[in-house]
């Protein structure tokens, strides 16, 4: 059993007053008004971060994105397979005009307005339903491959 394992096992049997003291020692601030289980989890997480390292910035942003969406809309949508860095500018020419969409932490900005998806922006530009990622060239249309008969 490692030293970390021993310290984590000790946390599981600590009474609330001792947990609050351990929180102060770990985070250098008073413990928040939460139950013992959450105090244990917070302290354990910090101990593990110190030994194994913390999450990367990209992972933290991926976790933060649905939290912000829940805060804003009250619900979280599904995560898309396409991953774009915040600040990326997507450019698409359409009918002789160039359109720009900016990738934000919690969606996209187009012509000064916030949009939850690229598909909404594509509809705004074209007036028709489009796959937003396909419209902006992030995905290619799957090519139709007819079945070849074995008798040919």
């Amino acid at each position: 059993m490692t030293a970390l394992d021993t310290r984590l096992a000790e946390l599981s049997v600590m009474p609330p007053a001792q947990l609050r003291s351990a929180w102060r020692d770990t985070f250098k601030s008073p413990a928040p008004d939460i139950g013992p289980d959450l105090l244990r989890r917070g302290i354990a997480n910090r101990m593990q971060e110190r030994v194994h390292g913390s999450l990367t910035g990209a992972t933290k942003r991926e976790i933060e994105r649905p939290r912000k969406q829940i805060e804003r809309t009250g619900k979280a949508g599904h995560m898309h397979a396409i991953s774009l860095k915040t600040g990326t500018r997507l450019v698409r020419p359409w009918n002789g005009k160039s359109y720009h969409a900016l990738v934000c932490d919690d969606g996209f900005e187009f012509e000064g307005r916030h949009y939850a998806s690229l598909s909404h922006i594509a509809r705004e530009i074209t007036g028709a339903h489009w796959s937003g990622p396909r419209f902006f060239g992030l995905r290619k249309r799957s090519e139709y491959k007819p079945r070849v008969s074995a008798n040919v």
Side-chain angles (χ1 to χ4, degrees):
M1 188 178 250
T2 66
L4 175 62
D5 292 333
T6 304
R7 290 171 45 212
L8 292 173
E10 290 169 356
L11 275 179
S12 66
V13 294
M14 277 187 191
Q18 196 175 354
L19 282 170
R20 293 191 176 288
S21 176
W23 182 282
R24 273 191 307 279
D25 294 342
T26 303
F27 291 96
K28 308 299 185 226
S29 67
D33 190 25
I34 56 177
D37 184 53
L38 289 176
L39 289 171
R40 278 186 193 94
R41 290 171 188 252
I43 296 166
N45 183 64
R46 181 56 58 92
M47 288 176 172
Q48 291 170 356
E49 281 181 344
R50 287 180 179 158
V51 172
H52 301 293
S54 66
L55 299 173
T56 65
T59 302
K60 288 177 183 177
R61 285 189 299 277
E62 285 298 315
I63 293 169
E64 191 68 14
R65 199 171 282 142
R67 187 193 67 77
K68 285 182 179 178
Q69 186 177 7
I70 289 170
E71 233 174 50
R72 203 177 75 252
T73 65
K75 57 185 175 180
H78 63 283
M79 297 304 285
H80 301 286
I82 294 174
S83 178
L84 299 169
K85 289 186 178 182
T86 301
T88 300
R89 185 168 301 279
L90 303 171
V91 181
R92 171 62 151 90
W94 180 258
N95 289 340
K97 184 177 175 189
S98 184
Y99 293 93
H100 301 260
L102 180 67
V103 178
C104 302
D105 280 334
D106 58 347
F108 305 90
E109 185 180 309
F110 173 67
E111 294 185 341
R113 294 192 316 240
H114 184 271
Y115 291 84
S117 78
L118 287 173
S119 296
H120 292 132
I121 297 171
R123 179 182 290 268
E124 191 77 22
I125 294 169
T126 66
H129 175 73
W130 271 79
S131 159
R134 195 176 76 156
F135 179 80
F136 281 97
L138 302 173
R139 284 196 181 142
K140 297 207 183 297
R141 184 176 185 178
S142 59
E143 295 177 13
Y144 173 71
K145 295 180 183 177
R147 283 191 257 167
V148 178
S149 172
N151 297 341
V152 177

